[in-house]
Amino acid sequence: MTRLRAEGLSLGYDDKNIVSNLDVTVLDGKVTAIVGANACGKSTLLRGLARLLAPRSGAVYLDGKALTDLSTLDVAKVLGLLPQTPIAPDGITVADLVARGRYPHQGWFRRWTERDHTAVAGALEATGTADLVDRPIRELSGGQRQRVWVAMALAQDTDLLLLDEPTTYLDINHQVELLRLLCKLNAEAGKTIVIVMHDLNLACRFCDHVIAMCEGSIVAEGAPTDVITAELVEKVFGLSCMIVPDPVAGTPMIVPA
Amino acid sequence: MTVLAPPAARTLTVTRRRRSVRAAVVTVALAVAVAALFVVTMMVGSFRLSAWEVIASVLHLEDNPSVDFVVRGLRLPTAASGLTVGLALGASGTIFQQLLRNPLASPDFVGISSGAGLAAVGGIVLLNLGGLAISGLALGGAILAATLMYVLAWRDGVTGYRFILIGIGVAVFFDGLIGYVLTRAQLSQARQAMHWLAGSVGQASDTELKVLTAALIVLLPLAVLLQRPLRALELGDDTARALGTRTELSRAGLLATGVVLVALAVSVAGPIVFVALIAGPIANRLLGPATGGILPAALVGAVLLLTADLVAVHLMPTPLPTGVVTGAVGAPYLLWLLATTNRQGAGG
């Protein structure tokens, strides 16, 4: 059983087709990484899966129903997304921002409820941002800020969470910290997580499943140990390399040749 | 469940409670200030009245022909115009600023007031009109300018930065045309046009006021309701959509509300500058950053405009149009805003 999948999906902007005729199945309860060179269409695919971009052809199905037939609000209760460069209003505090993740669960007239409160407090706790509640976002470090954005997506309380390059602007320590957090959420809360990322080594280390993309198509898909080969890296990134087992976890590690 | 809430839940409770108390206190205080200024506006003048006399006359509690003549006949229209125009400008300004995510994006900068001005001046000078017709033209001009900008800025949706730049361009274009029309005017018409352009709460007619009041009764609660999608839109379109907002529909609704409010305000009182620009930021200062309450901003707008009118009419050696006073206060703020936003790199 899979909750989110795409069939024959083509996506694009203006007159340009970015990805065409993709079949994607997002494995429930797993952490999936979408990897590929710059401009290979991985963020576009993620936007398509999250209903931010309407399909040119084909469809994305959530729980068996086409995404375009569902209301935005219903999608938002099941599927969360953290964009690549989210915008924080000037001066907004952590508490305020994370609370805005509750949007799909609140009505036009419904006030803040106990459930909202528990969800936001839980999200702050899980991301280790509870001490920052009164702080304005702009005063935080990059790593803290990214954790706050994840907290907002968590407060949305969705079973599926898609993240567009959440680690790109972080230093190595914070990249690992964020990925550990996402794995923890996957292990403890059973969330299905899809991450678009650049760092293949980290993807292999922390993700259960890898989707490798090249020029708008999927070239390989599966567990990192099964699919990451020197040929694939050469094909996707144009980098000749050796694959050695990660000395700590045994997962594939890419070493440029 | 555990008896003791986890620390995050407790901190959050404290933070949220502090914020809602602050919001309630500020809103009530602003409402009281608006009510007080509204009454004071009708007390002062060559014929001084007590607060009670004013209130009794406005609410029809007592009948006293001479007081009623001064209050209901002469001063109430000006006071009501200051109140309603202030509310409309404050609400409209903060909607624009939050929607376009830029403190400079007030309707008087992005060409809407200029559109109203061009239509009104054209009516005065070329068609020799006056009174209600001018207000109607101003309303039409404002809506036309807003539509024009929306169409020009549309490219797969409307983004803040492009809308502002196009708005400034449209404003400059209209201001140029206003200048041209004025050069073609007779002296008396030019005087009338210049007076209209300065903006004054004293020039409102009865019908215009009724229209604006009715619009406020409908649009202000609507704006407060639309605050919900606005809070999501502030986070950028992708996040807003991921949170379940219908972004284009919400944005169109918010823009329409903001445009109608500012268009009606301009048609009643002329383009009174800076109130829409500074009401939102002042409300945010009072409420805490990024709170963006539309109602508090509207109340701040009313406080500003009623105060400016009191200063313009009663504290100056000769009575001035209200817009002159708001301009004198607003211009330094604008300079400060330009200097500081650029330093923070948030100007774009």
Side-chain angles (χ1 to χ4, degrees):
Chain A
M1 173 65 192
T2 172
R3 302 190 64 183
L4 185 65
R5 67 192 165 85
E7 267 176 31
L9 182 67
S10 298
L11 299 162
Y13 304 95
D14 298 325
D15 49 351
K16 249 173 68 192
N17 251 343
I18 310 283
V19 306
S20 38
N21 205 21
L22 289 191
D23 293 322
V24 183
T25 303
V26 174
L27 300 177
D28 286 348
K30 300 280 184 201
V31 180
T32 302
I34 304 179
V35 297
N38 288 331
C40 70
K42 50 192 193 305
S43 290
T44 309
L45 172 61
L46 198 79
R47 288 169 61 87
L49 290 174
R51 203 186 190 267
L52 295 189
L53 208 57
R56 288 271 167 92
S57 63
V60 179
Y61 297 93
L62 178 65
D63 293 326
K65 284 181 213 118
L67 220 49
T68 38
D69 294 341
L70 294 166
S71 84
T72 339
L73 213 53
D74 287 337
V75 174
K77 285 175 187 161
V78 185
L79 183 73
L81 171 98
L82 187 59
Q84 199 169 341
T85 43
I87 299 165
D90 202 26
I92 193 169
T93 60
V94 170
D96 190 5
L97 186 72
V98 176
R100 291 192 191 190
R102 296 302 294 163
Y103 182 91
H105 302 281
Q106 297 169 318
W108 288 95
F109 297 101
R110 226 195 63 199
R111 306 278 298 183
W112 183 256
T113 65
E114 198 55 46
R115 253 190 80 201
D116 295 328
H117 195 86
T118 321
V120 172
L124 291 166
E125 198 79 63
T127 51
T129 49
D131 300 337
L132 307 174
V133 282
D134 281 326
R135 299 270 298 277
I137 299 286
R138 105 169 88 79
E139 288 176 10
L140 303 181
S141 72
Q144 288 173 324
R145 205 175 300 162
Q146 200 59 285
R147 277 189 288 147
V148 170
W149 283 110
V150 172
M152 190 192 91
L154 282 185
Q156 200 177 336
D157 197 17
T158 56
D159 297 335
L160 295 107
L161 184 56
L162 315 184
L163 301 102
D164 194 357
E165 299 196 19
T167 52
T168 297
Y169 299 108
L170 301 181
D171 59 43
I172 181 79
N173 175 31
H174 286 114
Q175 289 184 16
V176 171
E177 185 185 67
L178 185 72
L179 289 166
R180 286 216 164 104
L181 167 66
L182 294 171
C183 288
K184 192 179 99 182
L185 293 167
N186 164 258
E188 288 173 5
K191 282 189 195 301
T192 302
I193 292 174
V194 182
I195 316 169
V196 166
M197 55 192 295
H198 273 297
D199 192 317
L200 260 185
N201 289 333
L202 288 176
C204 292
R205 173 77 189 264
F206 290 98
C207 301
D208 306 308
H209 191 82
V210 175
I211 297 176
M213 290 183 69
C214 188
E215 289 171 1
S217 336
I218 294 175
V219 289
E221 190 178 356
T225 344
D226 302 335
V227 294
I228 300 298
T229 58
E231 295 80 59
L232 181 76
V233 176
E234 170 90 56
K235 186 176 174 193
V236 171
F237 292 95
L239 173 78
S240 61
C241 69
M242 279 175 66
I243 308 286
V244 296
D246 177 323
V248 178
T251 49
M253 199 167 90
I254 289 92
V255 182
Chain B
M1 293 306 279
T2 47
V3 185
L4 204 67
R10 265 178 290 141
T11 351
L12 187 64
T13 313
V14 175
T15 312
R16 289 194 65 93
R17 188 168 303 150
R18 201 184 316 134
R19 264 189 48 166
S20 54
V21 167
R22 186 169 171 186
V25 169
V26 167
T27 310
V28 170
L30 282 171
V32 169
V34 169
L37 282 166
F38 186 61
V39 172
V40 169
T41 304
M42 289 184 278
M43 285 162 60
V44 295
S46 49
F47 187 74
R48 284 180 183 269
L49 295 166
S50 73
W52 170 247
E53 282 172 316
V54 168
I55 294 168
S57 172
V58 169
L59 298 177
H60 292 258
L61 300 175
E62 272 173 19
D63 279 321
N64 179 337
S66 63
V67 172
D68 286 349
F69 171 73
V70 173
V71 172
R72 292 184 207 160
L74 300 177
R75 293 180 188 172
L76 184 57
T78 309
S81 143
L83 175 71
T84 50
V85 169
L87 286 172
L89 287 177
S92 167
T94 196
I95 289 174
F96 271 84
Q97 285 163 335
Q98 291 179 60
L99 198 59
L100 302 174
R101 292 191 284 271
N102 193 316
L104 288 172
S106 126
D108 34 0
F109 279 90
V110 296
I112 296 173
S113 302
S114 300
L118 178 61
V121 170
I124 294 169
V125 173
L126 304 177
L127 307 172
N128 234 334
L129 297 169
L132 204 57
I134 294 302
S135 304
L137 275 175
L139 182 62
I143 292 172
L144 212 68
T147 318
L148 179 70
M149 285 185 311
Y150 198 78
V151 170
L152 287 177
W154 180 276
R155 195 183 296 157
D156 273 342
V158 170
T159 60
Y161 202 28
R162 186 161 54 223
F163 193 87
I164 294 166
L165 288 180
I166 286 176
I168 291 172
V170 168
V172 171
F173 177 67
F174 283 161
D175 287 344
L177 285 180
I178 290 175
Y180 171 73
V181 173
L182 282 176
T183 60
R184 317 260 306 170
Q186 315 255 315
L187 199 55
S188 66
Q189 289 172 331
R191 247 183 86 102
Q192 196 195 340
M194 286 314 288
H195 190 263
W196 191 91
L197 282 174
S200 173
V201 295
Q203 65 193 25
S205 86
D206 225 24
T207 329
E208 292 162 9
L209 258 182
K210 277 188 189 133
V211 173
L212 177 60
T213 311
L216 272 176
I217 289 170
V218 177
L219 292 179
L220 215 47
L222 179 69
V224 173
L225 267 183
L226 286 173
Q227 179 106 63
R228 182 178 132 78
L230 184 54
R231 278 190 207 287
L233 281 172
E234 267 190 303
L235 303 175
D237 277 19
D238 282 357
T239 314
R241 221 168 295 163
L243 286 173
T245 321
R246 297 168 72 181
T247 46
E248 280 312 321
L249 190 71
S250 307
R251 192 183 350 255
L254 280 157
L255 273 181
T257 309
V259 167
V260 173
L261 281 175
V262 73
L264 286 171
V266 174
S267 79
V268 166
I272 292 179
V273 285
F274 290 116
V275 173
L277 179 76
I278 58 180
I282 291 177
N284 261 347
R285 269 290 155 86
L286 296 171
L287 291 164
T291 35
I294 293 175
L295 187 63
L299 291 169
V300 170
V303 167
L304 288 172
L305 200 50
L306 287 167
T307 311
D309 187 53
L310 276 174
V311 172
V313 177
H314 301 292
L315 292 186
M316 292 292 146
T318 52
L320 293 170
T322 328
V324 174
V325 174
T326 59
V329 178
Y333 167 76
L334 178 64
L335 289 175
W336 176 82
L337 188 68
L338 285 170
T340 53
T341 46
N342 272 350
R343 214 167 296 149
Q344 290 164 6

